[in-house]
Amino acid sequence: QVQLVESGGGLVQPGGSLRLSCAASGSIFGANVMGWFRQAPGKERELVASFTRGGSTNYADSVKGRFTISRDNAKNTVYLQMISLKPEDAAVYLCNYEVVSGPYNGRKFWGKGTLVTVSS
């Protein structure tokens, strides 16, 4: 099993910055990819940024150029650096871990999320 704990959310003014962290613990057999999703009230969960199995990155069009996903493998931690935040970025941000090979292929794990509020 994999446990994910997000941190770093909070209240920020429009144009401000935040860095989210997702610490992973535990293990499960198989290659994995990790990423960040967000869900605003009344809206569906959407992908924000993720790593691909090959190590490249994907971003939602709405955050390209403003958000950067990175990771520290030694710390089993994934980060999301967010700059130039907009009110529409406000949401609960959730960390995702997906197994992409082996007998558990397709298995997904989620953190509980961290709230980002963008308001003046």
Side-chain angles (χ1 to χ4, degrees):
Q1 298 295 312
V2 174
Q3 295 79 41
L4 304 171
V5 179
E6 303 97 334
S7 60
L11 172 64
V12 63
Q13 293 185 343
S17 302
L18 283 174
R19 189 177 82 152
L20 307 183
S21 300
C22 171
S25 60
S27 64
I28 187 169
F29 185 82
N32 68 83
V33 294
M34 292 185 67
W36 288 94
F37 287 69
R38 68 186 180 188
Q39 187 163 19
K43 295 187 177 182
E44 293 186 356
R45 187 173 296 183
E46 63 174 352
L47 174 68
V48 176
S50 69
F51 287 101
T52 68
R53 187 172 177 179
S56 60
T57 54
N58 288 323
Y59 294 93
D61 288 343
S62 60
V63 308
K64 284 181 180 176
R66 300 187 299 121
F67 290 11
T68 303
I69 189 170
S70 63
R71 61 190 172 191
D72 184 333
N73 291 330
K75 296 181 178 180
N76 291 326
T77 300
V78 174
Y79 304 96
L80 185 68
Q81 179 68 52
M82 307 184 294
I83 65 171
S84 303
L85 282 160
K86 305 175 181 180
E88 52 264 40
D89 294 318
V92 175
Y93 282 70
L94 302 113
C95 185
N96 170 259
Y97 179 113
E98 181 176 354
V99 183
V100 294
S101 72
Y104 302 104
N105 185 41
R107 182 79 180 269
K108 296 181 181 180
F109 300 88
W110 295 92
K112 293 183 178 180
T114 185
L115 178 64
V116 172
T117 303
V118 184
S119 175
S120 54

